[in-house]
Amino acid sequence: MDEVEAVHALALRLAREAGAIQRARYETTFAIESKSRPIDLVTEVDRACEALLVETLRRERPHDDILAEEGGAHADAGAAWRWIIDPLDGTVNFAHGYPCFAVSIGVEHAGVRTVGVVYDPLRDECFEAVRGGGARCNGRPLRVSECAEVGRALLATGFAYDVRDSDRDNLVEFARAVKHAGGVRRDGSAAIDLCYVACGRYDGYWELKLHPWDVAAGILIVEEAGGRVTDLAGGPAPASGREIASSNGRIHDELLRVLGGG
Ligand code: IPD
Ligand code: CA
Ligand code: CA
């Protein structure tokens, strides 16, 4: 097995193992705390998933770098392989018993997005991509939608946890999209939103102020499904996640114009 295949197989296994924890603990009692703001939550289940992922990686791939959301690992020694992990994307949903959340694992090789896995444990949907190898869900090849105009598009977005205190709150862009699109959703998991663009459930998705772990897997999955991901000005998709516009490609330029008020 070559190394990309080994990393891919491990990412798939880890996503399913963490997803099994989420499925088992969904709608049970667990501790919930606030982080940066009262609405920015972390649960005991986020931490349990991260511990499983990071401990397994440290054991099985001790030389790789890891960036994981809950701070269990921020090793950055300049290794060739770097794992970027959101142990539970959609924490507010999980905390409320709203069935939309996932494990997201992106892996870079020499700074290039190489493997992406997003696992939704309730739907048992495993979205995944390897650079140059296409994207799949549960083994089935994925293709973005054919929608050719924003006026017919189903879009999705989200809002950062600083929405109450910041002027850059995405509400202007949201209002523009609502006025132009076929529909706009806010489902609460950036990783799933990106995968839904990849599989054609959504025609486009944008968001501001995301983080590397929200987008590391999803950007690759959209691109490998034939879609396009950029910043809101049409430049390369920032690995930081600071702003992301993704689509089936066909509506991309129009989507950027609509969001920009043009
Ligand atoms: C959040 C979700 C949400 C997005 C937020 C993210 P978390 O991640 O992806 O959809 O709107 O910006 O922070 O906190 O559930 O891992
Ligand atoms: Ca997240
Ligand atoms: Ca998270």
Side-chain angles (χ1 to χ4, degrees):
M1 204 195 292
D2 78 5
E3 197 162 14
V4 175
E5 273 180 59
V7 165
H8 181 210
L10 180 56
L12 288 170
R13 194 189 102 208
L14 287 175
R16 284 189 177 276
E17 286 178 9
I21 296 176
Q22 296 173 13
R23 195 162 43 231
R25 308 273 325 253
Y26 181 59
E27 291 184 314
T28 65
T29 304
F30 43 78
I32 306 175
E33 290 164 40
S34 292
K35 295 196 288 183
S36 66
R37 290 177 168 73
I39 60 170
D40 180 6
L41 307 180
V42 59
T43 75
E44 173 185 343
V45 182
D46 298 66
R47 294 210 168 101
C49 291
E50 181 158 314
L52 168 97
L53 296 167
V54 169
E55 280 162 24
T56 310
L57 280 173
R58 290 233 193 280
R59 206 169 48 243
E60 299 196 18
R61 297 197 50 100
H63 303 298
D64 292 356
D65 282 341
I66 305 172
L67 173 63
E69 180 181 9
E70 306 307 340
H74 284 234
D76 194 8
W81 292 93
R82 182 170 187 244
W83 297 70
I84 305 166
I85 294 173
D86 193 332
L88 201 172
D89 185 53
T91 297
V92 172
N93 289 343
F94 188 85
H96 286 262
Y98 181 83
C100 180
F101 50 85
V103 186
S104 175
I105 301 176
V107 197
E108 294 175 352
H109 183 253
V112 178
R113 285 180 206 102
T114 302
V115 170
V117 178
V118 173
Y119 180 55
D120 170 347
L122 293 186
R123 290 185 173 275
D124 190 25
E125 287 187 326
C126 187
F127 297 89
E128 37 122 354
V130 175
R131 173 164 298 278
R136 284 163 299 280
C137 178
N138 294 351
R140 180 176 50 86
L142 294 182
R143 191 72 208 159
V144 291
S145 73
E146 297 285 325
C147 178
E149 47 180 307
V150 170
R152 292 178 185 277
L154 184 60
L155 304 179
T157 190
F159 301 93
Y161 295 121
D162 68 359
V163 66
R164 293 178 182 172
D165 335 311
S166 167
D167 289 338
R168 197 162 168 261
D169 54 14
N170 197 27
L171 288 173
V172 170
E173 291 82 357
F174 182 62
R176 289 171 180 154
V178 168
K179 291 284 188 188
H180 285 84
V184 185
R185 302 287 178 265
R186 193 283 192 252
D187 228 353
S189 165
I192 289 183
D193 292 332
L194 284 164
C195 291
Y196 282 11
V197 173
C199 70
R201 290 175 186 162
Y202 289 146
D203 305 298
Y205 158 72
W206 86 96
E207 190 161 342
L208 312 179
K209 299 181 179 173
L210 291 167
H211 295 95
W213 42 80
D214 299 313
V215 300
I219 290 176
L220 181 66
I221 293 169
V222 172
E223 290 177 344
E224 287 294 327
R228 188 169 161 207
V229 191
T230 66
D231 64 14
L232 264 64
S240 66
R242 90 189 139 68
E243 54 177 53
I244 291 290
S246 66
S247 78
N248 63 2
R250 296 183 74 170
I251 64 163
H252 204 86
D253 292 339
E254 190 192 356
L255 174 63
L256 296 182
R257 273 197 307 278
V258 166
L259 296 176

